Amino acid sequence: MNDNRIQLLLRYIEEQPEDPFNVYALAMEYRDEQPDQALLYLKQLLAEHPTYLATYYHAAALLAEQGDRSGAEGIYERGIELAKAQKNEKAVQELSRAYRAFQDDDDY
């Protein structure tokens, strides 16, 4: 986690609150060392920028890691539907693959 980058991203968010990328980048900065903080930013993105597709993969994976299986499942499903609506075949494939792996984990 890079404190300078975090401060820079916070400034960018303040200057451009309508740009979801800055919030996404901030969530990714927190992802490994402070996953709860990352999840707060990812949930903020889902609420305020529901069409920002990159959020869905990471939010679902983080929820699954934290044991929220029903929350993760819902996010995967919403992300796949959004990717289809946006005609983003690569994202459909990536989310579908991750969702299948998530479901396979449930089988064991």
Side-chain angles (χ1 to χ4, degrees), residues 8-64:
L8 185 63
L9 288 166
L10 288 169
R11 191 175 79 225
Y12 289 162
I13 290 167
E14 188 175 307
E15 293 170 358
Q16 300 172 324
E18 72 287 347
D19 185 354
F21 175 78
N22 295 320
V23 178
Y24 175 79
L26 188 58
M28 294 302 96
E29 198 62 39
Y30 281 108
R31 172 74 175 86
D32 293 331
E33 294 181 34
Q34 294 183 25
D36 290 338
Q37 187 66 36
L39 190 55
L40 287 175
Y41 285 116
L42 291 168
K43 286 181 177 182
Q44 176 185 341
L45 280 169
L46 291 169
E48 296 175 7
H49 302 280
T51 60
Y52 194 70
L53 188 54
T55 306
Y56 289 82
Y57 178 92
H58 294 286
L62 192 51
L63 285 169

Side-chain angles (χ1 to χ4, degrees), residues 5 7-8 14 40 60 65 67 71-72 103 107:
R5 197 166 24 233
Q7 293 306 313
L8 185 63
E14 188 175 307
L40 287 175
E65 287 174 23
Q103 290 172 316
D107 292 341

Side-chain angles (χ1 to χ4, degrees), residues 30-108:
Y30 281 108
R31 172 74 175 86
D32 293 331
E33 294 181 34
Q34 294 183 25
D36 290 338
Q37 187 66 36
L39 190 55
L40 287 175
Y41 285 116
L42 291 168
K43 286 181 177 182
Q44 176 185 341
L45 280 169
L46 291 169
E48 296 175 7
H49 302 280
T51 60
Y52 194 70
L53 188 54
T55 306
Y56 289 82
Y57 178 92
H58 294 286
L62 192 51
L63 285 169
E65 287 174 23
Q66 293 187 344
D68 184 352
R69 299 212 44 94
S70 65
E73 183 172 26
I75 299 293
Y76 276 126
E77 290 171 350
R78 286 178 23 215
I80 291 166
E81 290 307 309
L82 178 61
K84 287 178 181 177
Q86 291 182 358
K87 298 182 183 348
N88 186 330
E89 190 57 38
K90 183 176 184 218
V92 170
Q93 290 174 2
E94 289 175 354
L95 283 163
S96 296
R97 191 174 314 118
Y99 185 36
R100 281 192 303 276
F102 163 81
Q103 290 172 316
D104 288 346
D105 285 346
D106 204 28
D107 292 341
Y108 294 101

